[in-house]
Each structure stands twice: as structure tokens, then as C-alpha cells.
Amino acid sequence: AAGIVPRRRPPRGDMGRGLTLLLLPLALLAAPARAEGGTAAAEEVQIEVLHLPEACSPKSKKGDLLNAHYDGFLASDGSKFYCSRTQNEGHPKWFVLGVGQVIKGLDIAMMNMCPGEKRKVTIPPSLAYGQQGYAQGKIPPNATLIFEIELYAVNKGPRSVEAFNQIDKDGDKKLSELEISQYLKEEFARDGKKRHPSAHDEILADIFKKNDHDGDGFISAKEYNVYQHDEL
């Protein structure tokens, strides 16, 4: 069964995880939505820390790449609608925090969390699946959700300074077509999958179409959208 925590599943090519993350649409963490007639208290994510390791570093922040297991329950009757341990041969899930890869409530609930920490979080409908619900995931309309989360790893995400500098071979603080091309070749070699000869050029063109907003033939740090907590 398909995972049901993500708000939307981005199209998956065969280009390797690093490249897939490079192409991810980036979104600012929006302010919590207010449902009609709802109160501020009712629309907040409630967080209960179940376990906090003595060594709590690094703490998660927007843009970090997280590895976690989580179980999802309906607050109305306690029934479980999702378990990451039954997906993908039981491997923990990887996702980038704060960019909309998961429902907004989880993006909020997993901020400032450290490796080894466990949390129980309650997410109101406006920060989950709202009035529409999610029929495929057996989540009814206007459902309050409860997640039990165990975080395993906090890594620098794909839009970090480190990732930018890895691609920026000449250190001029902008990514050229040649640098992106070389990055693609390295990613292709790393995953070892067979591709049509035209795949490289098509993906390269798509990267610049989506990221080179001023059309100057380079992807600047601003266009690459390095997160605010990082500085070049």
C-alpha cells in the first residue's frame, strides 16, 4: 500500500535520491491554517516528549534530512491507519523537514527534535487532511490525527550550504551548466541504473528550467534556495 503520511508524492524518476532531492519543489513553512469556527488552541500541534536522550544534538531544523519511524492513529477511536515499519521492508522513512514532503502538522511537530527522541503528537485537521480527508489512507474528513514518532538521524538536507558547495566545484557561488552536468554524471554512476542516452540532457534542461529564474545560465545560491539558517 502506498504511504499515506506524505501530503503529495512527487513524481519519482530513476535518477537517484540525491538528484531527486535537488529537483524537489521548495516551500516555506506556512503559518498554521485556521479552520472556520476553530480556535487558536484547537488548531495547534500538541507535542508530548516520550523519551529525550541525554545527548540531544543536532536538533532538527527546516531543510534537514530526517530518518524516522512513525505510527499514525485516528484520535476519534484510536485505530491505526499507518505504520512505517510495514512499508519499504520496515526501513525508516527519509524526508526533508519543512518543505511540504509530509503533512504540515508533521513538519511542525518534528522541529527541534534530536536523534533518539520519541514524541507523541496530536495534529488538528487543518494541519493534516482537512475537510477532504484522505480516503485512500482511511482518514475521514475533519480527522484529528495522533502520531508516535521515533527519530533516528538528523542530516544536512539537499538545499544546505554543504550540498551547494559540493556541486559548485570552482567555488564561484553559482552553479554552471557544466557543474550540474558533472553532478548528474556522478549521480548516474552512483546508482548504476540504465538510462536512455537522452536522459542526461533532458534532466539537465529541466533543472535549469525550474531553478534558473533569471535565465542567465547559472543557478545562484538564492535560486538554489539555500535555507535561511545557512549562509554562503
Side-chain angles (χ1 to χ4, degrees):
I4 57 180
V5 171
R7 183 177 64 189
R8 63 178 68 90
R9 186 175 298 279
R12 289 187 179 273
D14 59 352
M15 58 190 72
R17 188 179 73 188
L19 176 58
T20 303
L21 292 173
L22 176 68
L23 293 173
L24 284 174
L26 299 171
L28 296 177
L29 184 62
R34 294 278 186 251
E36 291 185 12
T39 64
E43 298 307 313
E44 293 178 354
V45 175
Q46 299 176 28
I47 300 173
E48 178 186 355
V49 177
L50 302 177
H51 174 71
L52 186 66
E54 290 185 10
C56 184
S57 179
K59 288 190 174 182
S60 60
K61 57 188 178 297
K62 186 177 74 170
D64 283 342
L65 184 63
L66 305 188
N67 185 236
H69 265 315
Y70 37 80
D71 294 331
F73 306 85
L74 296 179
S76 59
D77 61 8
S79 61
K80 183 183 290 189
F81 62 83
Y82 183 77
C83 177
S84 63
R85 291 172 176 83
T86 63
Q87 304 281 326
N88 193 27
E89 298 182 347
H91 296 299
K93 300 295 184 181
W94 287 99
F95 64 93
V96 180
L97 183 64
V99 300
Q101 286 191 339
V102 292
I103 56 175
K104 188 181 294 184
L106 279 177
D107 268 340
I108 295 171
M110 297 185 70
M111 291 286 181
N112 297 312
M113 198 172 179
C114 54
E117 185 174 344
K118 297 179 182 179
R119 290 182 177 181
K120 179 179 180 181
V121 302
T122 302
I123 300 174
S126 64
L127 300 177
Y129 295 96
Q131 297 178 0
Q132 294 77 26
Y134 186 41
Q136 182 181 350
K138 299 181 180 179
I139 298 175
N142 299 310
T144 296
L145 306 181
I146 295 174
F147 285 95
E148 293 182 358
I149 306 165
E150 182 173 5
L151 182 61
Y152 294 104
V154 177
N155 297 328
K156 282 288 186 179
R159 297 279 174 157
S160 66
V161 168
E162 288 81 359
F164 185 92
N165 289 339
Q166 180 183 358
I167 304 171
D168 183 23
K169 301 293 187 183
D170 61 9
D172 65 353
K173 307 305 180 187
K174 57 185 179 181
L175 307 181
S176 68
E177 187 171 321
L178 180 61
E179 287 170 332
I180 297 291
S181 177
Q182 182 61 35
Y183 174 79
L184 293 182
K185 291 177 182 177
E186 292 171 358
E187 286 295 316
F188 288 174
R190 186 174 293 115
D191 69 26
K193 294 181 179 179
K194 294 182 179 180
R195 295 175 178 81
H196 190 277
S198 64
H200 175 278
D201 292 341
E202 291 174 357
I203 295 171
L204 182 62
D206 191 52
I207 290 174
F208 275 86
K209 179 180 179 180
K210 293 179 179 177
N211 293 273
D212 183 18
H213 304 304
D214 61 9
D216 67 350
F218 295 90
I219 298 174
S220 66
K222 182 177 181 180
E223 289 171 328
Y224 185 77
N225 203 359
V226 171
Y227 289 106
Q228 294 179 0
H229 63 262
D230 290 326
E231 294 182 359
L232 285 168

